[in-house]
Amino acid sequence: MLRKLNFRWMMYHHRCVIVRRLHWSSNLVRSTFIEFFKNHNHQYIRSSPVVPWKDATLAFVNAGMNQFKPVFLGHSLRPCPRATNSQKCIRVGGKHNDLHDVGRDTYHHTFFEMLGNWSFGDYFKKDACTMAWTLLTEVYKLPPDRLYVTYFGGDPALSLGPDLEVLDIWKSIGVPENRILPFGMRDNFWEMGLQGPCGPCTEIHYDRLGRISAPDRVNLGVEDMIELWNIVFMQHERLKDGTLQPLSTHHVDTGMGLERVTAVLNNKTSNYDTDLFLPIFESIKKMSGKAAYGGKFSEDGLCLDTAYRVLADHMRMTTVSLADGLFPEDSYKLRRVMRRAICIGRDTFGFVPHHNNLVNLTNIVAETLGDTYPELWSQLERVQVIFQQEEEHFQETMDKISKEWSSMLLENPQLKVFSDVISPGLLSGLQEVIPQIKEWKDKDSIFPDDVALKLMEAYGVDIDAVGELASLYNLCIDLESIQFSFENAKTQKKVSEQQKWETSKLYSSASLLSESTFQNLPSTDDSAKYSYESVNGSYSFIPLETTVISLINEGKLVHSVPNKKIIGVVLNSTNFYHEAGGQEGDIGELVSGDLLINVKYVEKVGHIIVHWGTLEYGELFIGKKLMASVNAEFRLGCMRHHTATHLLNSAIRAVIGVSSQRSSHVTHDHLSLGVRMYHVMNYKNIYEAENIVKMWVSEKCPVIRKSLPLNELLQEQGVTFLPGEVYPDEVHVITTDLNTNFNLGGREMSHVLSKEPCCGTHLLNTGDIGNFCITDVKASGVGLRTIRAVCGENAAVAEANAEVAVSQLEKWELKVQSEITGNNPKRIANTAKDLLAWRNTFESQPLPYLVRSKMNSTLDDLARLMRNALRGDANKQMAVEMEEILREQPHGPVIHLLETDFGTSKAMLIKASKFCKQRPLLVLAKAEGTVVARATLTQVEVNNGASAADWLTCVQNILGGIVKAPRGQDSQLVCNFRGDLMNPVDMEKLKDAISESRIYIEKYL
C-alpha cells in the first residue's frame, strides 16, 4: 500500500516517520499549496503580470504582495477576505537584486514563483502559523525536526518589544523552544517602503543536512539552512517622521518560493535539480553538443554548469517578461538579461544567430510553465519574434563593439578585466568619462555622482558596471546613494503627469499647489464627461448644472474676476474632458443668464480640474451657479478619432503580428499613432490595416465601456496595455470586436479584438466613425512608424481629393509623353515648371497615404524623364548632379540618392564615386525596381575601424540584397550593393537605410 502511494519510510533520529513522496513535480507542489488554502476558504487569484502596471516604484513585480499593495495601503477595497496564488516574480535590480548571484549558488534566480496566502483583515497570527505548519508537516510531510522558526525579537529604539504572541503560538503548535529563534529588525521586521504598512514577521527555515541541532546556521544566508516561508503580520504603519502607529485592520502576507520548496521536497540540494530547470538543461545540451549538466559549482563562477544555470534562468525570465507584455525598449534590465543570455549562448555553447537556438529554448520554458500560465503559450509567437530580432540586433552591435573595444583597450589596457562590454552605450560613455579620470584622482579620488547617473541614464550602463569602472581606477563611489537617486528619478518621471499650460505663461502649477486653500479643495467630480447618448448616430451631450468653487487669475487664487480676463475656473463637478490619454481636452462654454465664459482648454492639476478660458461678459465669483456645455462638434470629432486610434492599433497588430504602441495624439480633426514594429510595414500592410478599420466601421460594432478594478482586468485575456504606463486601481476598459470572416495575407480571419484600458471618451458604435483614411506614414527610426489618419467628413474629403488628383495626374502623364516626343526643350522646361506647381498644390491637400505615395512615385518618374530630356545623356546629367551635391556639402561624408536615370549601369556609379575621392562617399540610385549603391572610404576612416562593406551592410539589413567588393579591390575601401527587387521601390525603407548608414559612418570620422 505504501508503495502504491509513492511514499517511503526511513529511520530519522531513531524514529520511524513517513517523510514524503519519492517525487514531487513542481506542478504538484504548486497545486497542492493552492488547493490546501482553497480548502481553508481562500479565494484563488491568478498571478498578475510581472510588469507592474499599477506601481511606478517597481521595474518588475518582485513579491506576491505587489498586486495587493493598494489594499494594504487602504487605497482600494479587499478583493476577498482570504486569498491564495502563485505569483510570477522577477528580481534584477533595486533593493532586491539577485542577478549577480544567479548560477553561483543553488537558490538565487532572476525569475521565480512565490506561493502565497493572504488575510485582509480576517485571520491573523495563530491561524497563519497553524496553516503553514500543517501544510509543511502533514501535507508536504517535511520532518518537523528539520524545521526552525524565527520571530521578531523587538527593537528598543522603536519601543517595540519581542513578538511573544508568535513565540507562544509556535510553542503551542509543538515546536521545541530551542528551535524558535528571535531576530531583530533586519531579519524579522518587514516594511513595504519608507512609509506605510509594516510589521513583524516569522520565518520557517529548513535544515538540508538534518542535524540534531543547528540553530546557529539560521539566517546566515547559507545553503545548508534554507529559508522556506516568510509570514508577515502587518499591524503597524510607518509614518513620515519614522514613528510607528498601530493599524486599525491587521493583515497577513506570506510567501514561499516554489523553486526552493520543490527542491526540498525532492531531497535536492539545489533548486536547479528540479523539473523547472532540467528540461532546459537537456535542450541546451542537445543543441550545443556540450557535456551534460552535472550540478557542479566553482568559486570563480566560470565552470560549464554555471553557464547552464545562468542561461536557463535568463531564458525563463525573458520568456515570462515578453509574454506579459514587456518590450526590451521599455526595460534596460530586461534587455541586459537578454543580452547576457545571448552572450552565454554564443561564447559557451556555440549558439549562432539565425539558428534559433535561444528561440527554441522559449518553447521549453512554455512547456514547463505554460499549463499554469497559459499566456506563455498564447504569446509564444510574440516572444519568439522579439527575441529573434533582439538577438540579430545585438549581434550587429557586438560586431561593431568588438572593433571599437579593441581600439579602446590599446589606450586603456586596465579595461581588459572589465566584465560588462555589452551595454549599447558603454563605449560612448567611457569615451566621455576616461579623459576626466586624472582630474578626479588629483582632486579627491571620488567618482562624481552626477557622472555616474549620466552613464546610467544617458548611456544605459548598469550601476554594477559603474562601480566596477570606479574600482578599476581606484576611485571612491557611493553606489547606494546613486542607485537611490537613479530609481527616484525614474519614479518621478514615470508618475508625474504631463502639464500643459496656456501660452501666456500666466499659470504655475507649483504656485497653485502651494496654496493651502487649493490643496484643500474637494476633488472635481468629472463622471459626467461620459454622460452622452446616441440615437441613430446622432450624439447629444447634456449640459451640466454646476457651481464655481475656486477661481484662478494670473496664477493666484481669487474670489471674483472682471470680464475679458483669461481665467481658470474650478467647478464642483464638470462634464468637460480634461487632456489625458493622448486626447486633447474639450472646449465649450460656461454660462448663466448674465455670464459667458469661452472655455479653450481643460486640464487636471492634482485632484482638481481647471477650465481655462475667457470671461466674455458678466460677473464671476465663487459660489456662482453655471451650466457647463461642451462643444458637441469638437467632442464628437475627438471621440471619432480616439475610437479609430484603438481600432488602428489592433489592425496593425493583426497585420504585422507583433507591435507596440509608443505614443498617440487625438484631436477633433485627426489622430496620430506611434508604433514600434517587429516586422517591416510595407504598402501592402498599410492597405490591409486601413481596410480592417474600414470593415470595422461598416460592420457597425458596439463599443463597450466597462469600469473594473485593475486586479480583475489583469486576469482577463486579450487586453492591450501601453508599455511604461501606470494605471489606477480602477480603470475603464474600451472593448469592441470585429466579428467577420476575411482573408488577411493568406490567413483566414474570423475576428479582430480591440480591448484597452483607457480614460478617453469614445463612440458607442464603430459605425459612427463614418469613414476612415490613413493620410501619412513617417519613419521615426528603424522599426518606428508614426501614422496619421482622419475620420468622418475629413476622410471623405481626402478620398474625394484623391479622385480628382489621380484623374489630373493621368492627363499630366499624357502631356509629358507628348512633350518629350516633340523634343522641344522650351516646351519641356515649361511643362516641368507647370507640373511642379501643380504638385505643390496637391501636396497641401489631404490625400490617402497610398494614393499620395503612388502619385509621388509617378511624379518623380515624370520629372526625371523631363530632366533627362533636357540635360542630354546620363553622363552629363550625373556629372551636374554630383557637382551640385558637392557644392551643397563641402565637408564630411557624402550620402546621396541619385536622381539621374541610368538603368542598372555599374559604370555610372563608378564614375559618380570619382567625383569624391578624398571623402567618404555612399551613392545610391533607384534602378528598374531595385536600389544599387557604391561606397568608398579613404584610408583615414579605415584606420579608424570603418569598412565600406560594413557601411553598405547598413543598407543591406533593411533593403536585402548583396554586398560585394569589386574584383581585386579591398572591401574596406570600396564596395558595391544591389538590393532585392521591389516594385515600386519602398521609399520609407530606403529612408531608413540612408539614416542607418549615416549613423554608422559618423562613428568613424
Side-chain angles (χ1 to χ4, degrees), residues 139-176:
V139 179
Y140 287 144
K141 299 191 179 299
L142 289 178
D145 43 10
R146 283 201 178 200
L147 300 176
Y148 292 80
V149 296
T150 66
Y151 70 97
F152 179 55
D155 188 294
L158 290 172
S159 300
L160 292 175
D163 193 347
L164 300 179
E165 180 185 359
V166 166
L167 172 63
D168 291 337
I169 289 170
W170 286 123
K171 288 165 65 176
S172 69
I173 288 173
V175 181

Coordinates of all heavy atoms in Angstrom, one line a residue, residues 139-176:
V139 N 0.9 17.8 5.1 CA 0.6 17.6 3.6 C 1.9 17.3 2.8 O 2.0 16.3 2.1 CB -0.2 18.8 3.1 CG1 -0.5 18.6 1.6 CG2 -1.4 19.0 3.9
Y140 N 2.8 18.2 2.9 CA 4.1 18.0 2.2 C 5.0 17.0 3.0 O 5.9 16.4 2.4 CB 4.9 19.3 2.1 CG 4.4 20.3 1.1 CD1 4.4 21.7 1.3 CD2 3.8 19.9 -0.1 CE1 4.0 22.6 0.4 CE2 3.4 20.8 -1.0 CZ 3.4 22.1 -0.8 OH 3.0 23.0 -1.7
K141 N 4.6 16.8 4.3 CA 5.3 15.7 5.1 C 6.8 16.0 5.3 O 7.6 15.1 5.2 CB 5.0 14.3 4.6 CG 3.5 14.0 4.6 CD 3.3 12.5 4.3 CE 1.8 12.2 4.3 NZ 1.1 12.5 5.6
L142 N 7.1 17.3 5.5 CA 8.5 17.5 5.8 C 8.7 17.2 7.3 O 7.9 17.4 8.1 CB 8.8 19.0 5.7 CG 8.9 19.5 4.2 CD1 9.1 21.0 4.2 CD2 10.0 18.8 3.4
P143 N 9.9 16.6 7.6 CA 10.2 16.2 9.0 C 10.2 17.4 9.9 O 10.9 18.4 9.7 CB 11.6 15.6 9.0 CG 11.8 15.2 7.5 CD 11.0 16.2 6.7
P144 N 9.4 17.5 11.0 CA 9.3 18.7 11.8 C 10.7 19.0 12.5 O 11.0 20.2 12.7 CB 8.3 18.3 12.9 CG 7.4 17.3 12.3 CD 8.4 16.5 11.4
D145 N 11.5 17.9 12.7 CA 12.8 18.2 13.4 C 13.9 18.6 12.4 O 15.0 18.7 12.8 CB 13.2 17.0 14.2 CG 13.0 15.7 13.5 OD1 12.7 15.7 12.3 OD2 13.2 14.6 14.2
R146 N 13.5 19.0 11.2 CA 14.4 19.7 10.3 C 14.0 21.1 10.2 O 14.6 21.9 9.4 CB 14.4 19.0 8.9 CG 15.2 17.7 8.8 CD 15.5 17.4 7.4 NE 16.3 16.2 7.3 CZ 17.1 15.9 6.2 NH1 17.2 16.8 5.2 NH2 17.8 14.8 6.2
L147 N 13.0 21.5 10.9 CA 12.4 22.9 10.7 C 12.8 23.8 11.9 O 12.8 23.3 13.1 CB 10.9 22.9 10.5 CG 10.4 22.1 9.3 CD1 8.9 22.1 9.3 CD2 10.9 22.7 8.0
Y148 N 13.1 25.0 11.6 CA 13.3 26.0 12.6 C 12.4 27.2 12.3 O 12.2 27.5 11.1 CB 14.8 26.5 12.6 CG 15.8 25.5 13.1 CD1 16.3 24.5 12.2 CD2 16.3 25.5 14.4 CE1 17.2 23.6 12.7 CE2 17.2 24.6 14.8 CZ 17.7 23.6 14.0 OH 18.6 22.7 14.4
V149 N 12.0 27.9 13.3 CA 11.2 29.1 13.1 C 11.8 30.3 13.8 O 12.5 30.1 14.8 CB 9.7 28.9 13.6 CG1 9.0 27.8 12.8 CG2 9.6 28.7 15.1
T150 N 11.6 31.5 13.2 CA 12.1 32.7 13.8 C 11.0 33.6 14.1 O 9.9 33.5 13.5 CB 13.1 33.4 12.9 OG1 12.4 33.9 11.7 CG2 14.2 32.5 12.4
Y151 N 11.2 34.5 15.0 CA 10.2 35.6 15.3 C 10.9 36.9 15.6 O 12.1 36.9 15.8 CB 9.3 35.1 16.5 CG 10.0 35.1 17.8 CD1 9.9 36.1 18.7 CD2 10.8 34.0 18.2 CE1 10.5 36.1 20.0 CE2 11.4 33.9 19.4 CZ 11.3 35.0 20.3 OH 11.9 34.9 21.5
F152 N 10.1 38.0 15.7 CA 10.7 39.3 15.9 C 11.1 39.4 17.4 O 10.3 39.3 18.3 CB 9.7 40.4 15.5 CG 10.2 41.8 15.7 CD1 11.4 42.2 15.1 CD2 9.4 42.7 16.5 CE1 11.8 43.5 15.3 CE2 9.9 44.0 16.7 CZ 11.1 44.4 16.1
G153 N 12.4 39.8 17.6 CA 12.9 39.9 19.0 C 12.8 41.2 19.6 O 13.2 41.4 20.7
G154 N 12.2 42.2 18.9 CA 12.0 43.5 19.4 C 13.0 44.5 19.0 O 14.1 44.1 18.5
D155 N 12.7 45.8 19.2 CA 13.7 46.9 18.9 C 13.5 48.0 19.9 O 12.5 48.8 19.8 CB 13.5 47.4 17.5 CG 14.5 48.3 17.0 OD1 14.6 49.4 17.6 OD2 15.3 48.0 16.1
P156 N 14.4 48.2 20.9 CA 14.2 49.2 21.9 C 14.2 50.6 21.3 O 13.5 51.5 21.8 CB 15.5 49.0 22.8 CG 15.9 47.6 22.6 CD 15.5 47.3 21.1
A157 N 14.9 50.8 20.2 CA 14.9 52.2 19.6 C 13.5 52.6 19.1 O 13.2 53.8 19.1 CB 15.9 52.2 18.4
L158 N 12.7 51.7 18.8 CA 11.3 52.0 18.3 C 10.3 51.6 19.4 O 9.1 51.6 19.1 CB 11.0 51.2 17.0 CG 11.8 51.7 15.8 CD1 11.5 50.7 14.6 CD2 11.3 53.1 15.4
S159 N 10.8 51.3 20.6 CA 9.9 50.9 21.7 C 9.0 49.7 21.3 O 7.9 49.7 21.7 CB 9.0 52.1 22.1 OG 9.8 53.2 22.5
L160 N 9.6 48.8 20.5 CA 8.9 47.6 20.2 C 9.5 46.4 20.9 O 10.7 46.1 20.9 CB 9.1 47.3 18.7 CG 8.4 48.3 17.7 CD1 8.8 47.9 16.3 CD2 6.9 48.3 17.9
G161 N 8.6 45.7 21.7 CA 9.0 44.6 22.4 C 9.0 43.3 21.5 O 8.6 43.4 20.3
P162 N 9.5 42.2 22.0 CA 9.5 41.0 21.2 C 8.1 40.5 20.9 O 7.2 40.8 21.7 CB 10.3 40.0 22.1 CG 10.2 40.5 23.5 CD 10.1 42.0 23.3
D163 N 7.9 39.8 19.8 CA 6.6 39.3 19.5 C 6.4 38.0 20.2 O 6.4 36.9 19.7 CB 6.5 39.0 17.9 CG 5.1 38.8 17.5 OD1 4.2 38.6 18.3 OD2 4.9 38.9 16.2
L164 N 6.0 38.1 21.5 CA 5.8 36.9 22.4 C 4.6 36.2 22.0 O 4.5 35.0 22.2 CB 5.8 37.4 23.8 CG 7.0 38.1 24.4 CD1 6.8 38.5 25.8 CD2 8.3 37.2 24.2
E165 N 3.7 36.8 21.3 CA 2.4 36.1 20.9 C 2.8 35.1 19.9 O 2.3 33.9 20.0 CB 1.5 37.1 20.3 CG 0.2 36.5 19.8 CD -0.7 37.4 19.0 OE1 -0.4 38.6 18.9 OE2 -1.8 37.0 18.6
V166 N 3.7 35.4 18.9 CA 4.1 34.4 18.0 C 4.9 33.3 18.6 O 4.8 32.1 18.3 CB 4.9 35.1 16.8 CG1 5.6 34.0 16.0 CG2 3.9 35.9 15.9
L167 N 5.8 33.7 19.5 CA 6.6 32.7 20.3 C 5.6 31.7 20.9 O 5.9 30.4 20.8 CB 7.4 33.4 21.3 CG 8.2 32.5 22.3 CD1 9.2 31.6 21.6 CD2 8.9 33.3 23.4
D168 N 4.6 32.2 21.6 CA 3.7 31.3 22.3 C 2.9 30.4 21.3 O 2.6 29.2 21.6 CB 2.7 32.1 23.2 CG 3.4 32.7 24.4 OD1 4.5 32.2 24.8 OD2 2.9 33.7 24.9
I169 N 2.6 31.0 20.1 CA 1.8 30.2 19.1 C 2.6 29.0 18.6 O 2.2 27.9 18.6 CB 1.4 31.1 17.9 CG1 0.3 32.1 18.4 CG2 0.9 30.3 16.8 CD1 0.0 33.2 17.4
W170 N 3.9 29.3 18.3 CA 4.8 28.2 17.9 C 5.0 27.1 18.9 O 5.0 25.9 18.6 CB 6.1 28.7 17.4 CG 6.1 29.5 16.1 CD1 6.5 30.7 15.8 CD2 5.7 29.0 14.8 NE1 6.3 31.1 14.5 CE2 5.8 30.0 13.9 CE3 5.2 27.7 14.4 CZ2 5.5 29.8 12.5 CZ3 4.8 27.6 13.1 CH2 5.0 28.6 12.1
K171 N 5.1 27.6 20.2 CA 5.2 26.6 21.3 C 3.9 25.7 21.4 O 4.0 24.5 21.6 CB 5.5 27.3 22.6 CG 6.9 27.9 22.6 CD 7.1 28.9 23.7 CE 7.0 28.3 25.1 NZ 7.2 29.4 26.2
S172 N 2.8 26.4 21.2 CA 1.5 25.7 21.4 C 1.3 24.7 20.2 O 0.7 23.6 20.3 CB 0.3 26.6 21.4 OG 0.2 27.3 20.1
I173 N 1.9 25.0 19.0 CA 1.8 24.1 17.9 C 2.7 22.9 18.1 O 2.4 21.8 17.6 CB 2.2 24.8 16.6 CG1 1.2 25.9 16.2 CG2 2.5 23.9 15.5 CD1 1.5 26.8 15.1
G174 N 3.7 23.0 18.9 CA 4.6 21.9 19.3 C 6.0 22.0 18.8 O 6.8 21.1 18.9
V175 N 6.4 23.2 18.4 CA 7.8 23.5 18.0 C 8.6 23.6 19.3 O 8.3 24.4 20.2 CB 7.9 24.7 17.1 CG1 9.4 24.9 16.7 CG2 7.0 24.6 15.9
P176 N 9.7 22.8 19.4 CA 10.5 22.9 20.6 C 11.1 24.4 20.8 O 11.4 25.0 19.8 CB 11.7 21.9 20.4 CG 11.1 21.0 19.4 CD 10.1 21.8 18.5

